[in-house]
Amino acid sequence: MTSALPAVDVIIPIYNGYDVVGNCIESVLANTHGPASEIGVILADDASPDPRIGPLLEEFAARDDRVQVHSRTVNLGFPENCNESMRASRRDIVILNSDTEVPPGWLTRLCTKAASSARVGSVTPLTNNGTVCSVPEWLKNNPFGSLDTNALDEIAQATATGLWIELPTGVGFCQYFTRTALDTCGYFDGAVFGKGYGEENDLCLRIRHEGLVNLLADDVFVSHIGGVSFSEAGTSRLDENLAKIGRLWPDYHALIQEFIADNPLAGVQARFGLEMLRRTPRSPGKPRVLYMLHNAIWGTVIGGTEFHVQDLVEALRGEIEPIILSPRHGTRPILQWDDRGHVRSFPIAYSFDSEWVRQLLSSGIDLVHIHHWIDFPADALSEVLAVCAAVGIPTVVSLHDYYAACPGIQLLDARTKQPCVSLEGTDRCDGCEIKAGRTARIDVEGWRREHRAALAQASLIVSPSEAARHVLLQGLRDAGPQLDVHVEPHALPTSWPSPTPKEPAEPYRISVIGYGGAHKGDRVLIDLIAHLDGLELEWHFYGRKKLRDLPDEPPYFFHGTYERDALHDWLVEDDFALLVSTWPETFSYTLSEAWSAGLPVFATAHGALQERVSEAGAGMLLSDDPAAAATEIRAALADPDRILAMQRATKYAAQALRTLPEMATAYLGHYRALLAAASPAAIVPSAHEPGLDEVENLMGSFRSPLPAVDVSREELATPVVHQAGGRPPR
């Protein structure tokens, strides 16, 4: 503190919490510099029943002349306990929860922000656990990993924007209130909010209503455990007090929901998170590998690509440090990494441009493995590959489907779902032309040309099957020189015992795995079942939904969505599997799952299904026409020798399936070879200035949009009498 800044009293409201109170006070006294004439530390004990609290506080008062102890004779509740000490002061005030820890220089920086304008009413710092002020992931408790409070505060100082950042309300773990705000708006409303919860929101709303502002200090970090002050009292009053705020300020909840939906603090979280990643100690000998795909793998695993990346990451956990980059609902990309058992998650950009990519790479990324870029901005693939090429970071691109050649992804017309005609001649898939225009403002020819140019910058391109490799190269053949694509088949995460051929008995049990959607052949499946009428068949469906328009006669069993391990236990009870995809599958996990359970497969003759079934002989390829396919299945089921041959082939196909360690070893070999040959340039993180869109969100309106109070505070403060055994209203 300096004489140019206002004098401040730091009020620490205390109720029990002996194990954390001492640490909080120690951090305040050690890291807050200035004489008693400028800084006071008020220990406001709200009649704590723990007999150790009183002597502990008196010990601090005896050690430091800045410390005063305010002891209540009866428990007043959090708001009035704070009010009693605030009324005793004529200075600016900081309300600091007793389960916090502050870093060196914290108060000077808060005070500097508060003194920056006469319009400032409150200031709240960043924290690990403080709803909208939480970093790197907001609205969450961010457990500590390898960095302590001081290190996290250094990150806040290094990444601060230097801007005014407006909050709808401050957050109560640590709030600085200017004397102007307190004299204008008063203190906490203890009559309305009782023992506590919501009183700081109400005061901040009054501050807004008077034309003052609640600011975030993004250059200060204060750690917060959370819940200690109310641990004995419980949190049952939270909903009741939030309802009171809604009655006092009718637009409050809509304001908060809009703030959360927009997340104007995304840039703050991004800067903090990337710098946190950069400063987190590296594991010796483990390269940091950035995986880029269209869905997160921790928390939301949906389809084959996500399963593959999840399997690969888990199998390589002892060899690499995985970082996951994915879009969130088509908006800002998010980054995830496992920090000593704690998964960090935060947005990384307002606009996914080369500067943000450089910021990301400067966090210590050694290699980038791109698995999908759909739902990212249209130029994300080229941006990432171009920047990596410029700085010498090796890149791997796995082509899990045909997105590079087909805006509709599956070589089906994006509108009609009919097979692609553009690869065979000069005809156009009109639906894909529309899709390309909407997604990237180009036609399909331009789409392929741009993807071909982007992929040419990759260090290694991978496809899961030879069939997929062939189709991809055909789709990109006119877009430039031939690409070199390496084939790496996928693996199942678990190796089960080799299946034993069994004698199927009618009715045969047919498994339909992973159906759902036109590309999976739902319409073909329904027609095929109809053409198989008269056969004694029992149908078992494993997928997201029931199928409509199925014939009435056969028994159908819908098992719903499934875990991969549980699926095997179900499949071993079945006799055959049926896969009728209408698009050229690039690999097909479901085919591997069927074989691992000993099921021969009837499959459409497209893509990897055709390649794998014909090579292994572990099943039969079907005609596209449902009537012809039904005839083929009837003939096979009537031939015991053919069934036995397919079963024997299935046993060998299951034994030949790639194991997860084999796949991990192959990819680790690629990574090591690329890293050994790379000469990456040192990427110095720059002071990335907020863009105009970000600044606009940060600056806010600086005026209250809230209506006048529509209910008297006296009415809300009237106690509600509950009958014995009843529950308070929510």
Coordinates of all heavy atoms in Angstrom, one line a residue, residues 397-454:
V397 N -2.4 -36.3 -38.8 CA -3.9 -36.2 -39.1 C -4.4 -37.6 -39.3 O -4.0 -38.3 -40.2 CB -4.1 -35.3 -40.3 CG1 -5.6 -35.2 -40.5 CG2 -3.5 -33.9 -40.1
S398 N -5.4 -38.0 -38.5 CA -6.1 -39.2 -38.7 C -7.4 -38.9 -39.4 O -8.2 -38.1 -38.9 CB -6.4 -39.9 -37.3 OG -5.2 -40.5 -36.8
L399 N -7.7 -39.6 -40.5 CA -8.9 -39.3 -41.3 C -9.9 -40.5 -40.9 O -9.8 -41.6 -41.5 CB -8.6 -39.3 -42.8 CG -7.6 -38.2 -43.2 CD1 -7.2 -38.3 -44.6 CD2 -8.1 -36.8 -42.9
H400 N -10.8 -40.2 -40.0 CA -11.7 -41.2 -39.5 C -12.9 -41.4 -40.4 O -13.6 -42.3 -40.3 CB -12.2 -40.9 -38.1 CG -11.1 -41.0 -37.1 ND1 -10.8 -42.1 -36.4 CD2 -10.2 -40.0 -36.6 CE1 -9.8 -41.9 -35.6 NE2 -9.4 -40.7 -35.7
D401 N -13.2 -40.4 -41.2 CA -14.3 -40.4 -42.2 C -13.8 -39.7 -43.4 O -12.6 -39.5 -43.7 CB -15.6 -39.9 -41.6 CG -15.4 -38.5 -41.0 OD1 -14.7 -37.7 -41.5 OD2 -16.0 -38.3 -39.9
Y402 N -14.8 -39.2 -44.2 CA -14.5 -38.6 -45.5 C -14.7 -37.1 -45.5 O -14.9 -36.5 -46.6 CB -15.3 -39.3 -46.6 CG -15.1 -40.8 -46.7 CD1 -16.1 -41.6 -46.2 CD2 -13.9 -41.3 -47.1 CE1 -15.9 -43.0 -46.2 CE2 -13.6 -42.7 -47.1 CZ -14.6 -43.5 -46.7 OH -14.4 -44.9 -46.7
Y403 N -14.6 -36.5 -44.4 CA -14.9 -35.0 -44.3 C -14.0 -34.2 -45.1 O -14.4 -33.2 -45.7 CB -14.8 -34.6 -42.8 CG -15.3 -33.2 -42.5 CD1 -16.6 -32.9 -42.8 CD2 -14.5 -32.2 -41.9 CE1 -17.2 -31.6 -42.5 CE2 -15.0 -31.0 -41.6 CZ -16.4 -30.7 -41.9 OH -16.9 -29.4 -41.6
A404 N -12.7 -34.6 -45.3 CA -11.8 -33.8 -46.1 C -12.2 -33.8 -47.6 O -11.9 -32.8 -48.3 CB -10.4 -34.4 -46.1
A405 N -13.0 -34.8 -48.0 CA -13.4 -34.8 -49.4 C -14.9 -34.6 -49.6 O -15.4 -34.4 -50.7 CB -13.1 -36.2 -50.0
C406 N -15.7 -34.7 -48.4 CA -17.1 -34.6 -48.5 C -17.7 -33.8 -47.4 O -17.6 -34.2 -46.2 CB -17.7 -36.0 -48.5 SG -19.5 -36.2 -48.3
P407 N -18.3 -32.6 -47.6 CA -18.9 -31.9 -46.6 C -20.0 -32.6 -45.8 O -20.3 -32.3 -44.6 CB -19.5 -30.7 -47.3 CG -18.8 -30.6 -48.6 CD -18.4 -32.0 -48.9
G408 N -20.6 -33.6 -46.5 CA -21.6 -34.5 -45.8 C -21.0 -35.6 -45.0 O -21.7 -36.4 -44.4
I409 N -19.7 -35.7 -44.9 CA -18.9 -36.6 -44.1 C -18.8 -38.0 -44.6 O -17.7 -38.6 -44.6 CB -19.4 -36.6 -42.6 CG1 -19.4 -35.2 -42.0 CG2 -18.5 -37.5 -41.8 CD1 -20.0 -35.1 -40.7
Q410 N -19.9 -38.6 -45.0 CA -20.0 -40.0 -45.3 C -20.1 -40.4 -46.8 O -20.4 -41.5 -47.1 CB -21.2 -40.6 -44.5 CG -21.1 -40.5 -43.0 CD -22.4 -40.1 -42.4 OE1 -23.4 -39.7 -43.0 NE2 -22.4 -40.1 -41.1
L411 N -19.8 -39.5 -47.6 CA -19.9 -39.7 -49.1 C -21.4 -40.1 -49.4 O -21.6 -40.9 -50.3 CB -19.0 -40.8 -49.6 CG -17.5 -40.4 -49.6 CD1 -16.6 -41.5 -50.1 CD2 -17.3 -39.1 -50.5
L412 N -22.3 -39.4 -48.7 CA -23.7 -39.5 -49.0 C -24.1 -38.0 -49.2 O -23.7 -37.1 -48.4 CB -24.5 -40.1 -47.8 CG -24.2 -41.5 -47.4 CD1 -25.0 -42.0 -46.2 CD2 -24.4 -42.5 -48.6
D413 N -25.0 -37.8 -50.1 CA -25.5 -36.5 -50.3 C -26.1 -35.9 -49.0 O -26.9 -36.6 -48.3 CB -26.6 -36.5 -51.4 CG -27.1 -35.1 -51.8 OD1 -27.6 -34.4 -50.9 OD2 -26.9 -34.7 -52.9
A414 N -25.6 -34.7 -48.6 CA -26.0 -34.2 -47.3 C -27.5 -34.0 -47.1 O -28.0 -34.0 -46.0 CB -25.2 -32.9 -47.0
R415 N -28.2 -33.9 -48.2 CA -29.6 -33.7 -48.1 C -30.4 -34.9 -48.4 O -31.3 -35.3 -47.6 CB -30.1 -32.6 -49.1 CG -31.6 -32.3 -49.2 CD -31.8 -31.0 -50.0 NE -31.3 -31.2 -51.4 CZ -31.9 -31.8 -52.4 NH1 -33.1 -32.3 -52.2 NH2 -31.4 -31.9 -53.6
T416 N -30.1 -35.7 -49.4 CA -30.9 -36.8 -49.8 C -30.4 -38.1 -49.2 O -31.1 -39.1 -49.1 CB -30.9 -37.0 -51.3 OG1 -29.6 -37.4 -51.7 CG2 -31.4 -35.8 -52.0
K417 N -29.2 -38.1 -48.7 CA -28.5 -39.3 -48.1 C -28.3 -40.4 -49.2 O -28.1 -41.6 -48.8 CB -29.3 -39.9 -46.9 CG -29.4 -38.9 -45.8 CD -28.1 -38.4 -45.3 CE -28.2 -37.4 -44.2 NZ -26.9 -36.8 -43.8
Q418 N -28.3 -40.1 -50.4 CA -28.0 -41.0 -51.5 C -26.5 -41.1 -51.7 O -25.8 -40.1 -51.4 CB -28.7 -40.6 -52.8 CG -30.2 -40.7 -52.7 CD -30.7 -42.1 -52.4 OE1 -30.3 -43.1 -53.1 NE2 -31.5 -42.2 -51.4
P419 N -26.0 -42.2 -52.2 CA -24.5 -42.3 -52.4 C -24.0 -41.2 -53.2 O -24.6 -40.7 -54.2 CB -24.3 -43.7 -53.0 CG -25.5 -44.5 -52.5 CD -26.6 -43.5 -52.5
C420 N -22.7 -40.8 -52.9 CA -22.1 -39.7 -53.6 C -21.9 -40.0 -55.1 O -21.5 -41.2 -55.5 CB -20.7 -39.4 -53.0 SG -19.7 -38.2 -53.9
V421 N -22.2 -39.1 -56.0 CA -22.0 -39.2 -57.4 C -20.8 -38.4 -57.9 O -20.4 -38.6 -59.1 CB -23.3 -38.9 -58.2 CG1 -24.4 -39.9 -57.9 CG2 -23.7 -37.5 -58.0
S422 N -20.4 -37.5 -57.1 CA -19.4 -36.5 -57.6 C -18.0 -37.2 -57.7 O -17.1 -36.7 -58.4 CB -19.2 -35.3 -56.6 OG -18.7 -35.7 -55.4
L423 N -17.7 -38.3 -57.1 CA -16.5 -39.0 -57.2 C -16.4 -39.8 -58.5 O -15.3 -40.2 -58.9 CB -16.2 -39.9 -56.0 CG -16.1 -39.3 -54.6 CD1 -15.6 -40.3 -53.6 CD2 -15.0 -38.1 -54.7
E424 N -17.5 -40.1 -59.1 CA -17.5 -41.0 -60.3 C -17.5 -40.2 -61.6 O -17.3 -40.8 -62.6 CB -18.8 -41.9 -60.2 CG -18.9 -42.7 -59.0 CD -17.7 -43.6 -58.8 OE1 -17.1 -44.1 -59.8 OE2 -17.3 -43.9 -57.6
G425 N -17.8 -38.9 -61.5 CA -17.9 -38.2 -62.8 C -18.1 -36.7 -62.5 O -17.5 -36.1 -61.6
T426 N -18.8 -36.1 -63.3 CA -19.0 -34.6 -63.3 C -20.3 -34.2 -62.5 O -20.5 -33.0 -62.4 CB -19.0 -34.0 -64.7 OG1 -20.1 -34.6 -65.4 CG2 -17.7 -34.2 -65.4
D427 N -21.1 -35.2 -62.2 CA -22.4 -34.8 -61.5 C -22.1 -34.2 -60.1 O -21.0 -34.5 -59.5 CB -23.3 -36.1 -61.3 CG -23.8 -36.5 -62.6 OD1 -23.8 -35.7 -63.6 OD2 -24.2 -37.7 -62.7
R428 N -23.0 -33.5 -59.6 CA -22.9 -32.8 -58.3 C -23.8 -33.5 -57.3 O -24.9 -33.9 -57.6 CB -23.2 -31.3 -58.4 CG -22.3 -30.5 -59.2 CD -22.9 -29.3 -59.8 NE -23.7 -28.5 -58.8 CZ -23.3 -27.4 -58.2 NH1 -22.1 -26.9 -58.4 NH2 -24.1 -26.8 -57.3
C429 N -23.4 -33.5 -56.0 CA -24.3 -33.8 -54.9 C -24.8 -32.5 -54.4 O -24.1 -31.8 -53.7 CB -23.6 -34.6 -53.8 SG -23.0 -36.2 -54.3
D430 N -26.1 -32.2 -54.8 CA -26.6 -30.8 -54.5 C -26.6 -30.5 -53.0 O -26.3 -29.4 -52.6 CB -28.0 -30.7 -55.1 CG -28.0 -30.7 -56.6 OD1 -26.9 -30.3 -57.2 OD2 -29.0 -31.0 -57.2
G431 N -27.0 -31.5 -52.2 CA -27.0 -31.3 -50.8 C -25.6 -30.9 -50.2 O -25.5 -30.1 -49.3
C432 N -24.6 -31.6 -50.7 CA -23.2 -31.3 -50.3 C -22.7 -29.9 -50.8 O -21.9 -29.2 -50.1 CB -22.3 -32.4 -50.7 SG -22.5 -33.9 -49.8
E433 N -23.2 -29.5 -52.0 CA -22.9 -28.2 -52.4 C -23.4 -27.1 -51.5 O -22.8 -26.1 -51.2 CB -23.4 -28.0 -53.9 CG -22.8 -28.8 -54.9 CD -21.3 -28.5 -55.2 OE1 -20.9 -27.4 -54.8 OE2 -20.6 -29.3 -55.9
I434 N -24.7 -27.3 -51.1 CA -25.3 -26.4 -50.1 C -24.5 -26.4 -48.8 O -24.2 -25.4 -48.2 CB -26.8 -26.8 -49.9 CG1 -27.5 -26.6 -51.2 CG2 -27.4 -26.0 -48.8 CD1 -29.0 -27.2 -51.1
K435 N -24.2 -27.6 -48.3 CA -23.4 -27.8 -47.1 C -22.1 -27.0 -47.1 O -21.7 -26.3 -46.2 CB -23.2 -29.2 -46.8 CG -22.5 -29.5 -45.5 CD -23.5 -29.8 -44.4 CE -22.8 -30.3 -43.1 NZ -23.7 -30.5 -42.0
A436 N -21.4 -27.2 -48.2 CA -20.0 -26.6 -48.4 C -20.2 -25.1 -48.4 O -19.4 -24.3 -47.8 CB -19.4 -27.1 -49.6
G437 N -21.2 -24.6 -49.0 CA -21.5 -23.1 -49.1 C -21.8 -22.6 -47.7 O -21.3 -21.5 -47.3
R438 N -22.6 -23.3 -47.0 CA -23.0 -22.8 -45.6 C -21.8 -22.9 -44.6 O -21.6 -22.0 -43.8 CB -24.1 -23.6 -45.1 CG -25.5 -23.3 -45.8 CD -26.6 -24.2 -45.3 NE -27.9 -23.9 -45.8 CZ -29.0 -24.6 -45.7 NH1 -28.9 -25.7 -44.9 NH2 -30.1 -24.2 -46.2
T439 N -21.0 -23.9 -44.8 CA -19.9 -24.1 -43.8 C -18.7 -23.3 -44.1 O -18.1 -22.7 -43.2 CB -19.5 -25.6 -43.8 OG1 -20.6 -26.4 -43.5 CG2 -18.4 -25.9 -42.8
A440 N -18.3 -23.2 -45.4 CA -17.1 -22.5 -45.7 C -17.2 -21.5 -46.8 O -16.2 -21.0 -47.3 CB -16.0 -23.6 -46.1
R441 N -18.4 -21.3 -47.3 CA -18.6 -20.3 -48.4 C -17.9 -20.7 -49.7 O -17.3 -19.8 -50.4 CB -18.3 -18.9 -47.9 CG -19.2 -18.5 -46.8 CD -18.9 -17.0 -46.4 NE -19.7 -16.6 -45.3 CZ -19.7 -15.4 -44.7 NH1 -18.8 -14.5 -45.1 NH2 -20.5 -15.2 -43.7
I442 N -17.8 -22.0 -50.0 CA -17.1 -22.4 -51.2 C -18.0 -23.6 -51.7 O -18.9 -24.1 -51.1 CB -15.7 -22.9 -51.0 CG1 -15.6 -23.9 -49.8 CG2 -14.8 -21.7 -50.6 CD1 -14.2 -24.5 -49.5
D443 N -17.6 -24.0 -53.0 CA -18.3 -25.2 -53.5 C -17.5 -26.5 -53.1 O -16.4 -26.4 -52.5 CB -18.5 -25.1 -55.0 CG -17.1 -24.9 -55.8 OD1 -16.1 -25.1 -55.2 OD2 -17.2 -24.6 -57.0
V444 N -18.0 -27.6 -53.5 CA -17.3 -28.9 -53.1 C -15.9 -29.0 -53.7 O -15.0 -29.5 -53.1 CB -18.2 -30.1 -53.5 CG1 -17.4 -31.4 -53.3 CG2 -19.5 -30.1 -52.7
E445 N -15.8 -28.5 -55.0 CA -14.5 -28.6 -55.6 C -13.5 -27.7 -54.8 O -12.3 -28.2 -54.5 CB -14.5 -28.1 -57.0 CG -13.2 -28.1 -57.7 CD -13.3 -27.6 -59.2 OE1 -14.4 -27.3 -59.6 OE2 -12.2 -27.4 -59.8
G446 N -13.9 -26.5 -54.4 CA -13.0 -25.7 -53.5 C -12.8 -26.3 -52.2 O -11.7 -26.2 -51.6
W447 N -13.8 -27.0 -51.6 CA -13.7 -27.7 -50.3 C -12.5 -28.7 -50.4 O -11.7 -28.7 -49.5 CB -15.0 -28.4 -50.0 CG -15.1 -29.2 -48.8 CD1 -14.6 -30.5 -48.6 CD2 -15.6 -28.8 -47.5 NE1 -14.8 -30.9 -47.3 CE2 -15.4 -29.9 -46.6 CE3 -16.3 -27.7 -47.1 CZ2 -15.9 -29.9 -45.3 CZ3 -16.7 -27.6 -45.7 CH2 -16.5 -28.7 -44.9
R448 N -12.5 -29.5 -51.5 CA -11.5 -30.5 -51.6 C -10.1 -29.9 -51.9 O -9.1 -30.4 -51.3 CB -11.9 -31.5 -52.7 CG -13.1 -32.4 -52.4 CD -13.6 -33.1 -53.6 NE -14.8 -33.9 -53.2 CZ -15.6 -34.5 -54.0 NH1 -15.5 -34.4 -55.3 NH2 -16.7 -35.2 -53.5
R449 N -10.1 -28.9 -52.6 CA -8.8 -28.2 -52.9 C -8.2 -27.6 -51.7 O -7.0 -27.8 -51.4 CB -9.1 -27.1 -54.0 CG -7.8 -26.4 -54.4 CD -8.0 -25.5 -55.6 NE -9.1 -24.5 -55.3 CZ -10.3 -24.5 -55.9 NH1 -10.6 -25.5 -56.7 NH2 -11.2 -23.6 -55.6
E450 N -9.0 -27.0 -50.8 CA -8.5 -26.4 -49.6 C -8.1 -27.4 -48.6 O -7.1 -27.3 -47.9 CB -9.5 -25.4 -49.0 CG -9.8 -24.2 -49.9 CD -10.5 -23.1 -49.1 OE1 -10.8 -23.2 -47.9 OE2 -10.8 -22.0 -49.7
H451 N -8.8 -28.5 -48.5 CA -8.4 -29.6 -47.6 C -7.2 -30.3 -48.1 O -6.3 -30.7 -47.3 CB -9.6 -30.6 -47.4 CG -10.6 -30.2 -46.4 ND1 -11.7 -29.4 -46.7 CD2 -10.7 -30.4 -45.1 CE1 -12.4 -29.1 -45.6 NE2 -11.8 -29.7 -44.6
R452 N -7.1 -30.5 -49.4 CA -5.9 -31.1 -49.9 C -4.6 -30.2 -49.6 O -3.6 -30.7 -49.2 CB -6.0 -31.3 -51.4 CG -4.7 -31.6 -52.2 CD -4.2 -33.0 -51.7 NE -2.9 -33.3 -52.3 CZ -1.8 -32.8 -51.9 NH1 -1.7 -32.0 -50.9 NH2 -0.6 -33.2 -52.5
A453 N -4.8 -28.9 -49.8 CA -3.6 -28.0 -49.5 C -3.3 -28.0 -48.0 O -2.1 -28.0 -47.6 CB -4.0 -26.6 -49.9
A454 N -4.3 -28.1 -47.1 CA -4.1 -28.1 -45.7 C -3.4 -29.4 -45.3 O -2.4 -29.4 -44.6 CB -5.4 -28.0 -44.9

